[in-house]
Amino acid sequence: MGSLYWHQRSMEMARYYFSRKYYSVPMPHAIFFYYGFAIHGTNELARLGGPASHGCVRLRPAHAAALFALVQRNGPRNTRIEIN
């Protein structure tokens, strides 16, 4: 299996967001980095590490909150998202 390398400056952030595409699923501390793709918290902890959506990166709620605070403090334009 190959790997994907891609990076993008983060663009939009939302402390509380509900998916418009997936049954209003909550996406706490969402950092949108490419169209509808986001890094966000999830309460579905048993499903972490497995597929659950169209490509979002899901984190434990506390980890998502910590990342959100770091990006907010440093500014979204000063944050680079890298997926490798």
Side-chain angles (χ1 to χ4, degrees), residues 14-30 32 36 38 40-45 47 52-54 56-59:
R15 187 175 306 276
Y16 304 104
Y17 187 84
F18 293 88
S19 174
R20 294 181 187 144
K21 192 171 188 174
Y22 294 99
Y23 313 105
S24 296
V25 151
M27 298 168 58
H29 297 101
F32 292 91
H40 62 83
T42 182
N43 291 323
E44 298 286 334
L45 300 181
R47 297 183 70 191
S53 70
H54 70 292
C56 288
V57 177
R58 298 168 300 121
L59 304 173

Side-chain angles (χ1 to χ4, degrees), residues 3 9 12 20-21 36 48 59-60 72 76 84:
S3 64
R9 299 274 179 197
E12 294 182 36
R20 294 181 187 144
K21 192 171 188 174
L48 284 175
L59 304 173
R60 293 181 174 275
Q72 193 170 43
N84 187 355

